[in-house]
Each structure stands twice: as structure tokens, then as C-alpha cells.
Amino acid sequence: MDLLALADFNDVARHGGFGRAARATGRPKATLSRRVRQLEDALGVRLFERGGHTLRLTPEGRELQERTQSLLEHIDEVGEVLRGGIGTPRGRLRISAPVLFGQRGLGRIAADYALAYPQVQLEVVTEDRFVDPVDDDFDLIIRANPDPSTDLAGRCFLRDVMVVVAAPSLPRPAGRNGVAVPAITLSRTPADATWQLTRTRSVRHIATRTVLRLSSMAMIHDAVTAGVGAAAMPRSLVQADIDAGRLLDWGVLADHPVEVWALYPSHRHVSARVAAFVKLLLDRFENASPRAFARLARGR
């Protein structure tokens, strides 16, 4: 298999078209098209479905990309090591992170990384939807309580608890038989649940009525601060608001631990640039403590 043709195929697949790949790589569009056709002829399969204005991978094309992209990256890294020194992070690093996590200090971590490794082109994208590292072209994904997956590996760098918080204007519930409190929840959370809260060795059960369902913690934070209802959120994300009196802590939501992970495809060789960012997260959140993130959110 021609490695140059294989590299051209991966560029076209990653950028979603011959024109986009040509602009990104500086290679002529006609050359990319010819190389991909040569690769298709050599393999005896069609790699792309070519429409009037669309280009889509066939099942065979998707399998070829998944099996060869990490190999080509590893070959590039070997060349980088030989040219620039063993283990020096360099090249592109694209990271996906949750919106609220990104707003609470990830920019400072990214800045520290950029200063330490100036030969890395770092890009951080904040979004709350699930992303696939291969399909969405990310090298590293930061997510809370990710679903177990055989396709992803990584490290847990932050452990936290869920606390129920509310604006001071929202009356605290009187007890188990009291009126259900208005609740703001994530879209995927069951509606009208009962919260079991622990506080100073006591346990309280609070009935809820869902008044607002939102798709991200960033929106929930805005809504709970506005006084629409109470919400369960990771302590590290709201500790600064609790300390400032903007939100009141009603207690810890029992049996809802939070783990924040840095994830990457398990079948890929872990590059020096990915390993360096993961190490920075582990160092910054020493002992995976939420207090370190609370200090980061306050700018300390």
C-alpha cells in the first residue's frame, strides 16, 4: 500500500473533502483526487461515495481510516523525534471539554501548557455533546462520569461530589412531607425525583418538581443563580458561588460521585503532546481534589 496515497486519503477523510484537504495541506486538489483513486484501484474497493456536493466515507473507507490514522500519526511522531529530540511535544493537539469546566479555569491551564510547549499547536473546544475522538477529530476528550467504553482509555484527574444548591431567594424545603421544590435538571435526568441529601451526619429526603430541563451544566448554573429553582451540581463548579453567598449549599446528594476523566482512543499510540497535557492535569489537580479546581475557578 502506497503510504503517500494513504496519507492523502486520510487528509481528505479528516477534512471532509478534496477542496478542504487541499487548502489545509497545500497539496493540489487534482493530486489528492488522483492518489485516492490509485489507492481505491490498488485495494479494489470504493473509499468515498461521491455526490454532487458531498463526499462521504464508505464503510470500507471508514474502516481504513480508523485502522491507519493512528499508524500515520505514529510515523509522523517518529520523524519528529528524529528531527527535534526524543519526547519533545510538538504538532497539533485538539481537545474537547465541557462548557462550564472550560469557563472555570481551563483557559489558564491551556495557557500554561502553551508556554511550556511552544511547538504544540493547541486548540481547546468547549461543548457538552458527546464527541467521538476519531469521527470528530479530537486527540483528547475531557468528560465527567463517562460511559465505560472499550474504545477509550485515560486517567481520572478530579473526583468530586454533587451538591444541591439554590439562590438565597429560594425557600429551603421544610421536610420530607413539604411542598416539592422546583428543580433544574439535565435533559437526560429523570423528572420529579426525590433528592437524598446528607449534611452534618443527617439525611433528608426532598421531593422535587422539575421546572426546567437544560442540556448543559453551564445553562443550569445560570438558571439556578437566577433563582428559578434548585439544582444538583459538582461542588468544585459552585464552591466559589457558595463562598461568595450567591448560592446556598443544601447538602450533598448521596450516592452520586463525580469523576472527571481525560480520555483518548485506546488503540492509538499516546503521543508526547497528549501525555504532557494529561500530566499537567494530574499535577494541577493534586490527589484529584475538587478544592484545587475551586481555587482555579477563583483565579488562584
Side-chain angles (χ1 to χ4, degrees):
M1 196 182 304
D2 188 334
L3 283 180
L4 288 178
L6 189 60
D8 286 341
F9 158 75
N10 272 273
D11 284 334
V12 173
R14 183 170 64 252
H15 293 290
F18 290 101
R20 293 177 182 175
R23 288 190 294 271
T25 63
R27 292 173 61 74
K29 180 179 176 180
T31 300
L32 294 175
S33 179
R34 185 180 70 255
R35 290 281 193 178
V36 169
R37 288 195 180 277
Q38 289 173 349
L39 185 61
E40 288 178 324
D41 292 341
L43 296 174
V45 297
R46 183 180 294 275
L47 300 174
F48 291 104
E49 295 290 353
R50 296 166 174 85
H53 300 285
T54 61
L55 190 72
R56 182 169 56 86
L57 283 167
T58 64
E60 294 81 5
R62 183 171 299 279
E63 182 177 1
L64 181 64
Q65 184 194 26
E66 291 176 353
R67 288 178 175 269
T68 60
Q69 183 173 336
S70 61
L71 173 64
L72 291 171
E73 290 175 353
H74 184 54
I75 292 173
D76 287 342
E77 287 169 7
V78 170
E80 290 171 0
V81 167
L82 294 177
R83 288 191 301 268
I86 296 176
T88 301
R90 63 182 69 238
R92 189 203 70 160
L93 177 59
R94 194 162 184 259
I95 298 173
S96 171
V99 174
L100 195 55
F101 185 83
Q103 293 174 346
R104 294 301 178 93
L106 185 56
R108 285 188 289 276
I109 295 177
D112 290 343
Y113 183 92
L115 289 171
Y117 306 106
Q119 297 183 72
V120 175
Q121 294 81 53
L122 176 62
E123 178 185 3
V124 180
V125 179
T126 57
E127 53 190 340
D128 290 312
R129 70 178 181 92
F130 173 80
V131 299
D132 182 273
V134 175
D135 291 344
D136 297 303
D137 195 24
F138 285 105
D139 303 293
L140 190 67
I141 298 172
I142 297 174
R143 285 296 180 269
N145 290 351
D147 293 331
S149 171
T150 56
D151 296 329
L152 298 176
R155 297 287 299 273
C156 174
F157 65 89
L158 174 62
R159 292 182 174 86
D160 206 346
V161 295
M162 297 292 282
V163 294
V164 172
V165 293
S169 59
L170 191 72
R172 286 177 179 263
R176 182 167 188 167
N177 298 322
V179 177
V181 301
I184 309 164
T185 67
L186 287 170
S187 301
R188 61 181 179 270
T189 304
D192 303 338
T194 297
W195 286 334
Q196 179 179 323
L197 302 182
T198 60
R199 188 177 181 87
T200 60
R201 299 184 180 180
S202 64
V203 178
R204 301 178 64 194
H205 294 82
I206 299 175
T208 69
R209 55 180 180 87
T210 302
V211 296
L212 194 55
R213 298 171 71 84
L214 300 170
S215 63
S216 74
M217 279 292 178
M219 289 193 290
I220 288 178
H221 177 266
D222 290 343
V224 74
T225 304
V228 177
M233 300 190 69
R235 178 178 291 281
S236 56
L237 295 180
V238 294
Q239 189 61 55
D241 298 292
I242 294 171
D243 293 342
R246 292 185 294 268
L247 295 175
L248 298 180
D249 178 359
W250 285 7
V252 176
L253 193 61
D255 301 323
H256 283 76
V258 178
E259 291 187 345
V260 184
W261 285 69
L263 301 166
Y264 42 82
S266 59
H267 61 272
R268 285 187 183 177
H269 167 74
V270 180
S271 66
R273 53 188 177 271
V274 169
F277 198 93
V278 173
K279 183 178 185 303
L280 179 61
L281 289 173
L282 293 171
D283 291 343
R284 184 61 59 90
F285 300 100
E286 186 177 0
N287 299 320
S289 169
R291 294 187 178 184
F293 188 66
R295 289 194 300 269
L296 182 67
R298 291 194 294 264
R300 299 176 183 176

